[in-house]
């Protein structure tokens, strides 16, 4: 048996076109075969492992643009298209998705959709769940199901496409995806400030958080690798030149008042931290988790915990998104640390997502982080799975 | 005691006798919404709390009575019309703004709160709620959620779903739950997203947490007249194509803008083919830059007049004219049938030409009002229902216009929903398989089919 990205694979399939894709899915389903759909395969290590050996259907040959007229500000592509390809295509017309999907070289659009995470750069709080305006999916009979469309406003029938975003393939394969897209801002500048005190950096965040039209990234980075306690604020300011200059000036002034220090101002910084891909492309001994708050939280409990524990960590707080991404070097007693992190999260009503973990840890962590969904949501989710995947063959065990 | 009396008594036990109507004359206003569709409910009830709503739902289940949630009844697809009778649950008494959280820029409100009241309250903190349907002084946030409503400023800001973080829902089995979270990227099924736009068929929304935005530093509002509707449409496409996204680009054709001007004296140039109402927002410096860019782009399309609002009063007047245009059209004919298609922005001009050809064919006046920047067109078919055959003609023309929208890559509804009025057009857009998959979803939420029956799905 082959192992791909830690998955036990019975067989691999590479459909070359829409019809082949549906035929493969139909046949596997009819034969009662479990299947996992992979784009770049980059997120296969994310979340739970699939629960039994599966067939893999790779979408990498399904990578065409189906419809793109820049003046419509929408684009429809096949799900196997690489993120970078789409970004470049849009960029040629000075357009973008409004967010930067992580791991763009390897990730596919379909995989990113199924994973549902839009990264830590967001123009106007736009994220993949809201920017997808239509999906064509394949059901267990191999039939195509259309939901949404290629227009930016649409209340025609149910938004079935929402089922496929963030559910890791549990309801079936996605063939094509339509996005609402945006003109790129004329300027996008990065500014970096250092603070010694977490409270000080939070003051800045509070003041500028609402400007996410113009500040698509406002992230605080910290690590025990810094020689002293330090919080590095990464700020992307975007918009017209006038707006960018205005905000940069205002923020720089406020930083001084809050004991911050300008680290660098440069439009082309070679940063030691890869913000776009934070938590991706990890080594086997690394673990990456994301903690989400259900309120606008400053995560100071988590910050305190990491500052006082013995783990090697890097973390990125994204207050506008309500999340903190943490990269931990695996060490022998990681499981007891994880228990403590789970406890703090439980107490603060945070939710933990395992973004990346190696196989040996994956199974051990499986039930560590309780998901506090209420009973009606659990019941509805189970009913959806039963109806859209009656034999439990799509991404089995991955998320439900 | 017959069934109806015993049910009446049980309803009174839940909400008190002042908040139940069972007499036909008391229920006439609940018979219809903003459309011509009609259906007499068996009872109308006005609960005050989520728990009361849940009890009413359980009761309706017991008596197998259809349940129709209702906000202000401004809907334009027959969504709140009790076409099979039943229990109309009006949310109007659940109208408290529970909390404005300035730190996280959110508001928690009951579902019966009027859209505009959220912005009015939030403005005390320099904040506002972005989706602004033209009916915002009357419609409820619950109705907005059911229809995923839009509005002029949704061009830049996005529609209801982009601004709603969480909703409290009474499910068809009477359970109360919350969908959604501050964080929209929680893995798992996006029930919040599925519920928004489900037109009251998945349950009743009772509370909502919405995102608030900071008011822009500055605003500039322009009224630009063109000699033809095609020029106005092409100018819209060109502005968007040039990478400019104003806060709003609204369009009125000659019939609509003349009526709006007569009603408001807003200063809309008379006898132009069409006008665009364009609003830009942001930093003062941005606004000047954008204004210049827009002027450059529209220049190619022969604008005949450009007016810039000199102050807030003039700006309000421009908007009054646009937002009140449907009422103003009453001067031309007593009835209207409003179509709500959306097409790709580049197809606007072609589709408007076809609308004009169809209007001539049917010999009816069509006034076009558009959220043009979003490609959302509202051809407003004017008629007199007293004239024999006109109502049918208007409905047929509406259907033909929707066909044209779909043929041009568009959809049946941009913001008003399918409801009762457009349900039979669904096969134009969706295959039987698509519709069956939607029915599966409906069945998961509402296996007994009691929630807003007769809506969305075509009659079999
Ligand atoms: C003059 C005019 C201008 C308009 N302009 C716009 C516009 O610019 N943009 C736009 O999008 N719409 C517009 N509309 C349409 C209408 O105002 C919206 O659809 C609005 O959201 C309806 O809200 P309502 O409270 O009146 O809902 P209702 O008409 O009472 O109900 C509409 C639907 O929502 C359901 N519903 C209501 N409350 C709830 C609830 N709490 N839980 C579950 N379901 C519920 C009902 O069952 C029904 O299906 C306009 C209407 C008019 C008359």
């Amino acid at each position: 048996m082959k192992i791909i990205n830690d998955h036990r694979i019975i067989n691999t399939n590479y459909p070359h076109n829409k019809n082949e894709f549906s035929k493969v899915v139909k046949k596997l389903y009819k034969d009662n075969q479990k299947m996992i759909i992979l784009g770049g395969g980059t997120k296969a290590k994310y979340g739970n492992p699939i629960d039994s050996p599966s067939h893999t259907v790779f979408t990498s040959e399904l990578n065409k643009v189906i419809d793109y007229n820049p003046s419509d500000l929408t684009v429809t592509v096949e799900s196997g298209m690489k993120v970078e390809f789409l970004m470049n295509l849009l960029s040629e017309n000075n357009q973008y998705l409004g967010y930067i999907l992580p791991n763009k070289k390897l990730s596919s659009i379909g995989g990113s959709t199924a994973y549902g995470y839009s990264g830590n750069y967001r123009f106007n709080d736009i994220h993949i769940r809201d920017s997808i305006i239509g999906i064509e999916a394949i059901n267990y009979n191999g039939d195509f199901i259309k939901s949404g469309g290629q227009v930016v406003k649409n209340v025609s029938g149910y938004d079935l496409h929402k089922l496929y975003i963030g559910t890791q393939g549990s309801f079936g394969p996605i063939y094509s995806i339509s996005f609402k897209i945006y003109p790129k801002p004329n300027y996008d500048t990065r500014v970096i400030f250092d603070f010694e005190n977490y409270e000080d950096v939070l003051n800045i965040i509070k003041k500028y958080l609402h400007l996410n039209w113009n500040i698509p990234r406002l992230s605080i980075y910290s690590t025990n690798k810094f020689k002293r306690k330090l919080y590095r604020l990464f700020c992307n300011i975007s918009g017209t030149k006038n707006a960018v200059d205005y905000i940069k000036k205002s923020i720089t002034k406020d930083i001084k008042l809050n004991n911050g220090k300008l680290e660098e101002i440069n439009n082309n910084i070679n940063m030691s931290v890869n913000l776009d891909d934070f938590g991706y492309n990890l080594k086997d001994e690394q673990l990456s988790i994301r903690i989400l708050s259900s309120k606008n939280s400053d995560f100071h409990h988590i910050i305190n915990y990491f500052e006082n524990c013995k783990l090697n960590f890097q973390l990125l707080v994204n207050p506008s998104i309500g999340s903190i991404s943490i990269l931990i070097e695996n060490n022998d007693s990681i499981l007891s640390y994880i228990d403590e992190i789970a406890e703090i999260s439980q107490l603060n009503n945070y939710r933990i997502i395992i973004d990346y973990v190696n196989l040996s840890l994956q199974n051990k962590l499986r039930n560590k982080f309780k998901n506090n969904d209420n009973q009606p949501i659990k019941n509805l989710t189970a009913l959806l799975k039963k109806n859209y995947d009656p034999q439990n063959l799509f991404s089995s065990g991955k998320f439900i | 005691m017959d069934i109806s009396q015993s049910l009446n008594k049980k309803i009174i036990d839940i909400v008190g006798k002042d908040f139940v109507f069972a007499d036909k004359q008391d229920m006439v206003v609940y018979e219809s919404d903003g459309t011509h569709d009609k259906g007499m409910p068996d009872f109308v009830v006005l609960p005050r709390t989520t728990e009361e709503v849940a009890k009413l739902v359980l009761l309706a289940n017991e008596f197998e009575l259809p349940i129709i949630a209702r906000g202000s009844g401004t809907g334009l697809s027959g969504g709140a019309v009790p076409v099979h009778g039943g229990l109309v649950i009006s949310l109007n008494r659940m109208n408290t703004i529970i909390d404005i959280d300035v730190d996280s820029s959110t508001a928690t409100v009951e579902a019966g709160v009027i859209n505009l009241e959220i912005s009015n309250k939030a403005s005390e903190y320099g904040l506002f709620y972005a989706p602004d349907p033209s009916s915002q002084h009357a419609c409820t946030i619950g109705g907005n959620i059911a229809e995923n409503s839009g509005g002029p400023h949704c061009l830049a800001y996005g529609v209801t779903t982009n601004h709603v973080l969480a909703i409290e829902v009474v499910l068809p089995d009477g359970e109360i739950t919350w969908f959604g979270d501050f964080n929209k990227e929680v893995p798992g099924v996006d029930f919040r997203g599925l519920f928004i736009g489900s037109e009251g068929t998945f349950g009743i929304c009772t509370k909502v947490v919405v995102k608030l935005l900071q008011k822009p530093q500055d605003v500039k509002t322009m009224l630009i007249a063109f000699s033809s509707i095609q020029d106005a449409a092409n100018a819209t496409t060109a502005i968007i194509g040039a990478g400019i996204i104003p806060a709003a680009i609204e369009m009125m054709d000659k019939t609509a803008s003349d009526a709006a001007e007569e009603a408001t004296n807003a200063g809309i140039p008379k006898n132009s083919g069409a006008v665009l109402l364009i609003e830009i927002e942001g930093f003062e410096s941005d606004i000047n830059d954008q204004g210049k860019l827009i002027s450059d782009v529209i220049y190619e399309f022969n604008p005949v007049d450009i007016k810039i609002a000199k102050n807030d009063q003039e700006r309000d007047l421009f908007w009054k004219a646009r937002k009140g245009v449907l009422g103003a059209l009453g001067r031309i004919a007593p009835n209207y049938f409003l179509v709500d298609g959306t097409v790709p922005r580049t197809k606007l001009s072609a589709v408007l030409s076809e609308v004009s050809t169809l209007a001539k064919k049917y010999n009816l006046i069509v006034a076009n009002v558009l959220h043009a920047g979003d490609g959302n067109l509202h051809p407003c078919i004017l008629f007199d229902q007293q004239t024999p055959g006109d109502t049918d003609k208007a409905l047929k023309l509406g259907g033909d216009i929707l066909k044209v929208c779909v043929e041009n890559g568009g959809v049946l509804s941009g913001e008003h929903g399918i409801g009762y009025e457009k349900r039979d057009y669904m096969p134009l857009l969706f295959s039987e398989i698509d519709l069956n998959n939607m029915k599966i979803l409906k069945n998961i939420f509402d296996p007994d089919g009691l929630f807003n029956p007769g809506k969305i799905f075509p009659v079999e």
Side-chain angles (χ1 to χ4, degrees), chain B residues 23-212:
Chain B
D23 286 342
K24 285 212 165 93
Q25 69 264 31
D26 294 333
M27 298 195 292
V28 172
V29 282
Y30 296 93
E31 221 185 0
S32 57
D33 60 359
T35 61
H36 304 281
D37 309 308
K38 277 199 164 70
M40 183 54 79
D42 294 307
F43 298 95
V44 174
V45 53
L46 289 96
R48 177 63 202 96
T49 64
T50 303
E51 288 67 32
E52 286 179 6
V53 173
K55 282 183 192 159
L56 291 166
V57 167
L58 287 175
L59 191 63
N61 274 324
E62 189 188 323
F63 285 82
E64 293 178 16
L65 206 60
I67 302 161
I68 302 93
R70 185 180 172 101
S72 298
T74 65
L76 291 171
S77 58
V81 178
V83 288
H84 296 296
L87 181 69
V88 167
I89 299 185
S90 161
L91 279 297
N92 296 108
R93 283 178 69 226
M94 296 183 62
N95 58 358
T96 307
I97 295 179
I98 299 166
D99 177 44
I100 304 265
D101 182 340
V102 180
D103 274 352
S104 60
S105 298
T106 56
T108 305
V109 304
E110 287 184 322
V113 166
I114 302 296
N115 171 302
L116 186 60
E117 282 171 10
I118 304 177
S119 285
N120 286 346
K121 181 81 191 154
S123 74
E124 292 170 21
Y125 310 95
L127 302 167
F128 75 108
Y129 174 63
D132 60 338
S134 302
S135 53
Q136 70 178 148
H137 57 281
C139 63
T140 63
I141 187 75
N144 294 172
I145 283 178
E147 305 290 13
N148 193 13
S149 299
H153 290 81
C154 291
L155 169 59
Y157 294 115
V159 292
T160 300
T161 193
N162 304 114
H163 298 270
V164 170
L165 297 172
I167 39 189
E168 183 190 64
V169 175
V170 176
L171 292 169
D173 62 3
E175 285 258 29
I176 301 169
T177 189
W178 277 91
F179 291 153
D181 211 318
F182 174 78
N183 194 306
K184 285 200 190 168
E185 293 194 337
V186 173
V189 179
D190 179 13
F191 285 107
R192 177 205 61 88
L194 280 174
F195 191 91
I196 296 172
S198 62
E199 306 194 35
T201 61
F202 287 174
I204 300 185
C205 156
T206 43
K207 289 192 192 92
V208 190
V209 182
V210 296
K211 214 162 62 180
L212 300 172

Side-chain angles (χ1 to χ4, degrees), chain A residues 35-72:
Chain A
M35 67 191 101
I36 178 150
I37 316 295
L38 291 180
T42 58
K43 292 179 190 74
K45 286 193 180 188
Y46 290 53
N48 290 328
I50 40 172
D51 58 10
S52 41
S54 293
H55 289 259
T56 304
V57 184
F58 276 97
T59 58
S60 46
E61 300 295 319
L62 300 162
N63 51 21
K64 285 192 285 300
V65 177
I66 296 174
D67 184 76
Y68 178 40
N69 181 344
S71 295
D72 285 331

Side-chain angles (χ1 to χ4, degrees), chain A residues 72 117-118 122 125 127 129-130 146 153 155-156 158 166 213 240 242 246 294 296 321-322 374 388 399, chain B residues 103 156 177 181-186 188 201 211 217 285-286 289 342 345-346 376 413 415 429 434 437:
Chain A
D72 285 331
Y117 174 52
S118 327
R122 315 279 175 85
D125 197 24
H127 51 84
R129 264 198 170 128
D130 278 352
K146 191 178 76 177
K153 272 174 91 179
V155 205
S156 314
Y158 298 139
W213 283 82
T240 58
N242 286 333
Y246 176 88
S294 60
N296 190 9
I321 302 161
N374 57 36
Y388 288 96
F399 128 84
Chain B
D103 274 352
T177 189
D181 211 318
F182 174 78
N183 194 306
K184 285 200 190 168
E185 293 194 337
V186 173
T201 61
K211 214 162 62 180
Q217 248 191 7
S285 51
D286 274 3
D289 288 356
T342 307
R345 285 137 166 157
T346 47
N376 185 194
S413 171
E415 55 180 18
L429 192 60
D434 298 333
N437 275 282

Side-chain angles (χ1 to χ4, degrees), chain B residues 212-414:
Chain B
L212 300 172
L213 302 181
Q214 192 84 11
K215 279 190 181 170
Q217 248 191 7
D218 215 346
V219 182
K220 183 172 185 170
T221 311
M222 305 188 255
L223 199 61
I224 305 160
F226 294 86
S227 48
S228 77
I229 193 167
Q230 259 60 43
D231 281 341
N234 289 329
T236 303
T237 311
I239 292 169
I240 303 279
I244 310 164
I245 308 274
I249 308 183
E250 297 286 297
M251 192 199 297
M252 292 186 279
D253 71 0
K254 180 172 167 17
T255 312
S257 63
D258 284 355
E261 176 58 15
E262 260 179 51
T264 56
N265 288 320
I268 304 173
K270 278 228 163 188
N271 297 319
S272 53
V275 292
L276 290 183
L277 181 59
I278 300 182
E279 189 151 277
I280 39 188
E281 296 179 347
F283 294 103
E284 204 182 325
S285 51
D286 274 3
I287 286 188
N288 292 336
D289 288 356
Q290 264 203 17
K292 235 178 118 283
L293 278 171
I294 290 174
S295 302
D296 289 350
V297 173
I298 59 169
Y299 192 69
E300 266 185 53
F301 303 95
N302 311 314
V304 291
D305 198 355
I306 300 181
K307 286 191 167 173
I308 294 170
K310 289 191 269 312
N311 49 37
D312 282 354
Q313 284 89 324
E314 201 171 359
R315 172 179 179 249
D316 290 348
L317 204 54
F318 287 174
W319 278 113
K320 190 173 166 199
R322 164 61 190 90
K323 292 197 173 182
V325 64
L326 291 182
L329 288 169
R331 292 157 184 262
I332 303 175
N335 305 100
Y336 64 75
F337 174 52
L338 192 68
V339 184
D340 171 41
T342 307
V343 295
R345 285 137 166 157
T346 47
K347 297 284 171 60
L348 262 183
S349 172
V351 170
L352 285 169
S353 289
E354 292 201 49
V355 170
S356 153
T357 309
L358 283 169
K360 280 188 197 124
K361 181 178 147 194
Y362 280 86
N363 196 23
L364 285 170
I365 299 174
V366 174
N368 286 292
V369 182
L370 292 87
H371 302 302
D374 279 325
N376 185 194
L377 57 153
H378 292 321
C380 186
I381 304 166
L382 304 173
F383 67 102
D384 182 351
Q385 62 184 13
Q386 305 300 334
T387 308
D390 259 18
T391 308
D392 276 355
K393 235 169 47 169
L395 292 175
K396 273 212 183 95
L397 170 55
D400 282 1
I401 293 175
L402 285 177
K403 264 185 219 150
V404 169
C405 290
V406 173
E407 280 161 12
N408 280 276
V411 296
L412 301 172
S413 171

Side-chain angles (χ1 to χ4, degrees), chain A residues 4 9 28 38 102 143 146 177 198 242 249 262 294 321 396:
Chain A
I4 298 182
I9 299 303
L28 289 174
L38 291 180
D143 299 322
K146 191 178 76 177
I177 306 164
Y198 193 56
N242 286 333
K249 220 167 123 189
L262 181 66
S294 60
I321 302 161
S396 179

